[in-house]
Amino acid sequence: MNTSIWHRDNAEAVVAEARNLLGRQLPQASRRKFLARGLTLGGLGLLAGCSIDDNATAEAALTRISQFNDRVQGWLFDSSRLAPTYPDSMITRPFPFNAFYDESKVPEVDEASFLLEVTGLVADKHRWTLHELRALPQYTQVTRHICVEGWSAIGKWGGPRFGDFLRAVGADLGARYVGFQCADDYYTSIDMATALHPQTLLALDWDGQPLPPKYGFPMKLRMPTKLGYKNPKHIKAIFVSNTFNRGYWEDQGYNWFGGS
């Protein structure tokens, strides 16, 4: 194959997939710039006549825009629409490490003593061992991880469908949110529709092997319908709730929905 054509086609695929995930949301670095431009294009009503030089006012407007963005992405989400999948030959090796800390600070989780805590609107609150999780039906997917920083990589993850796990614990599938607490102090929450999406995996494996620590051992939630920052690693607790919770990056200005 002509290399230039392959790179062009691959780049077009990344852009198309990113557009789908972004749902017109903006990376943190562009938020203030977008607000300023938007106000000059007829968006003055957002600030009710106030100046964007007023930091508190600008942040309030940005919050309203972000919340509206989340609602729109939620309305547009189609639980039957699948993210693209790829052949093993396209897996990115080595797959990049990415976290809010250096790789030397990846948390060490003891496999033998690990127990996954499950709380909230679930019937079965017993703590799950990794052996029990592996006893659930396992699925494998090769999908693209898209980072809000502008890079992407294709990876191969395996594990039970998260929807199967939620049904196994008797979760209230009519609840609005599922939240996660991780061993590296990361936390986030997602909507129930995304939790039940058939490609949302409770990933225990990477490329046919148990998930390495740098990629999220003992498990990560792999959601190809979300941007990378919404995919929690080193999960130690899951809760189902109707109470809205944000997340580590969301509390720093990122959109909550984070996909489409």
Side-chain angles (χ1 to χ4, degrees):
M1 174 182 287
N2 183 295
T3 303
S4 63
I5 293 176
W6 185 90
H7 283 298
R8 182 198 66 200
D9 292 345
N10 192 48
E12 289 174 353
V14 173
V15 170
E17 207 167 330
R19 282 176 177 164
N20 177 51
L21 281 171
L22 283 165
R24 295 188 180 86
Q25 76 171 6
L26 294 170
Q28 174 74 358
S30 300
R31 296 170 76 237
R32 212 169 264 285
K33 189 178 296 183
F34 168 78
L35 178 61
R37 290 177 180 171
L39 294 177
T40 65
L41 297 174
L44 284 169
L46 287 169
L47 293 188
C50 297
S51 170
I52 62 171
D53 293 331
D54 179 342
N55 186 65
T57 302
E59 286 302 319
L62 286 167
T63 297
R64 292 201 297 274
I65 291 172
S66 181
Q67 291 171 344
F68 175 75
N69 193 8
D70 287 334
R71 290 195 297 271
V72 170
Q73 290 180 68
W75 293 332
L76 292 174
F77 183 76
D78 182 351
S79 60
S80 64
R81 184 176 182 181
L82 301 181
T85 57
Y86 303 89
D88 284 11
S89 60
M90 292 184 67
I91 294 172
T92 304
R93 295 189 176 92
F95 192 85
F97 169 79
N98 188 245
F100 57 92
Y101 45 80
D102 294 333
E103 189 172 341
S104 61
K105 296 182 180 179
V106 169
E108 295 182 6
V109 178
D110 179 57
E111 180 175 0
S113 62
F114 175 78
L115 293 171
L116 175 65
E117 180 181 343
V118 186
T119 60
L121 302 176
V122 298
D124 182 358
K125 293 184 171 67
H126 93 271
R127 297 189 174 197
W128 285 62
T129 65
L130 289 175
H131 178 75
E132 288 177 302
L133 291 171
R134 290 190 177 277
L136 294 172
Q138 305 288 298
Y139 298 85
T140 299
Q141 63 176 238
V142 181
T143 50
R144 188 187 300 276
H145 172 106
I146 298 179
C147 182
V148 74
E149 295 174 345
W151 57 269
S152 73
I154 294 173
K156 183 177 182 178
W157 290 270
R161 286 176 176 161
F162 191 52
D164 290 348
F165 172 77
L166 291 175
R167 293 179 181 93
V169 300
D172 178 0
L173 302 184
R176 299 182 66 185
Y177 309 109
V178 183
F180 305 86
Q181 185 65 51
C182 305
D184 58 1
D185 295 329
Y186 182 86
Y187 58 98
T188 194
S189 56
I190 62 172
D191 58 296
M192 182 61 78
T194 299
L196 297 176
H197 189 277
Q199 288 178 307
T200 299
L201 294 185
L202 196 56
L204 305 173
D205 295 330
W206 157 256
D207 202 11
Q209 299 296 323
L211 196 67
K214 66 179 181 179
Y215 296 151
F217 182 86
M219 71 195 72
K220 71 170 288 177
L221 195 69
R222 174 56 190 154
M223 299 177 287
T225 59
K226 298 283 192 188
L227 289 166
Y229 70 85
K230 289 296 295 186
N231 290 239
K233 299 180 291 186
H234 314 290
I235 297 170
K236 66 178 184 180
I238 297 172
F239 59 92
V240 178
S241 174
N242 282 316
T243 302
F244 179 68
N245 289 273
R246 290 180 62 82
Y248 179 88
W249 288 114
E250 296 88 332
D251 285 342
Q252 299 180 56
Y254 283 69
N255 285 96
W256 176 79
F257 197 87
S260 68

